Amino acid sequence: MIRDLNPAPGHVLVIIDPQVDFCPGGALAVPGGDEVMPLVNAIARRFDHVVITQDWHPPTQVSFATNHPGAEPYGLAKLAYGDQVLWPDHCVQGTPGAAFHPDLDVPHAELVLRKGYNPHVDSYSAFYENDRTTPTGLAGYLRERGFRRCWFVGLALDFCVRYSAEDAVREGFAAVVIPDACRAIDLNGSLADTWRAFERLGVVVVEPPLAA
Ligand code: VGL
Ligand code: ZN
């Protein structure tokens, strides 16, 4: 029911990785990534509670192709925890590319959650690192605050937004994704896989404008 999709008590907006490096001109540019900022800002104004995640890698991060001699970005590495896509160096801690995009305007965000700081394990999801077992602490934070439904916007739809929404459902939250306020990388069918995963897990996909 549409009315249930409107932000309400117990709802939190989670803005995923709205960072310079994921926008055109950045180190891991998502096509159109900068275009989402005005809509993200407008959606955020409707929420009393907002959390922002920040991809925050050390230069030694295992998902950087530069840390695998001879490897190319966008290839795969077989790591102890499974296959890991290798990325261009991006969102390195303290660098301009790791900063939030200058058009992001969400002063009332209550938590900035950094992820991907473990050199040995990447972290797409806001809830679990890519070993799928190391928690970031977000589930406990959201539960302790009494939130029941997480709404997701940001970058990239088929990586960090996808895994965050899936893990939200696994952690017992209702999950809603607003694709208009997301952009995708679309690597080897990852976007089609994302829609299938959302369907399978019961992640709700909505288009704005939300009902008044
Ligand atoms: C992301 C690839 C690597 C994302 C982060 O935010 O979707 N993708 N690091
Ligand atoms: Zn990253």
Side-chain angles (χ1 to χ4, degrees):
M1 187 161 151
I2 290 293
R3 181 168 314 157
D4 288 341
L5 295 174
N6 278 299
H11 292 203
V12 60
L13 179 70
V14 183
I15 305 174
I16 301 290
D17 301 357
Q19 290 166 264
V20 169
D21 268 345
F22 295 125
C23 292
L28 176 37
V30 181
D34 55 335
E35 297 166 6
V36 304
M37 302 303 162
L39 182 56
V40 167
N41 295 338
I43 292 168
R45 269 182 234 117
R46 303 178 54 135
F47 280 79
D48 290 336
H49 305 289
V50 181
V51 169
I52 309 177
T53 67
Q54 189 172 27
D55 212 39
W56 197 248
H57 299 309
T60 52
Q61 162 62 225
V62 72
S63 72
F64 289 175
T66 52
N67 292 322
H68 301 260
E72 293 291 329
Y74 306 103
L76 273 185
K78 299 225 176 282
L79 303 182
Y81 61 79
D83 286 354
Q84 169 67 55
V85 178
L86 296 178
W87 302 106
D89 292 22
H90 65 279
C91 297
V92 174
Q93 294 167 0
T95 63
F100 291 136
H101 191 277
D103 293 346
L104 185 77
D105 183 18
V106 188
H108 64 298
E110 295 167 350
L111 174 72
V112 173
L113 182 104
R114 289 172 169 172
K115 62 182 181 62
Y117 43 73
N118 181 343
H120 308 294
V121 185
D122 198 3
S123 190
Y124 295 152
S125 164
F127 293 92
Y128 284 96
E129 295 185 349
N130 286 8
D131 60 7
R132 316 308 300 139
T133 56
T134 307
T136 64
L138 183 61
Y141 171 87
L142 296 178
R143 267 198 285 276
E144 193 165 358
R145 300 258 345 252
F147 297 120
R148 294 174 292 99
R149 178 170 304 189
C150 304
W151 297 65
F152 294 95
V153 295
L155 308 171
L157 174 59
D158 46 344
F159 285 90
C160 291
V161 174
R162 172 191 172 177
Y163 288 97
S164 297
E166 289 187 19
D167 282 349
V169 171
R170 291 195 185 100
E171 285 295 320
F173 300 96
V176 183
V177 172
I178 308 175
D180 268 18
C182 301
R183 290 293 183 276
I185 296 173
D186 203 9
L187 184 66
N188 302 322
S190 55
L191 185 55
D193 291 345
T194 298
W195 300 129
R196 276 191 291 268
F198 286 173
E199 171 101 41
R200 191 170 59 239
L201 286 163
V203 173
V204 174
V205 176
V206 294
E207 303 294 335
L210 308 174

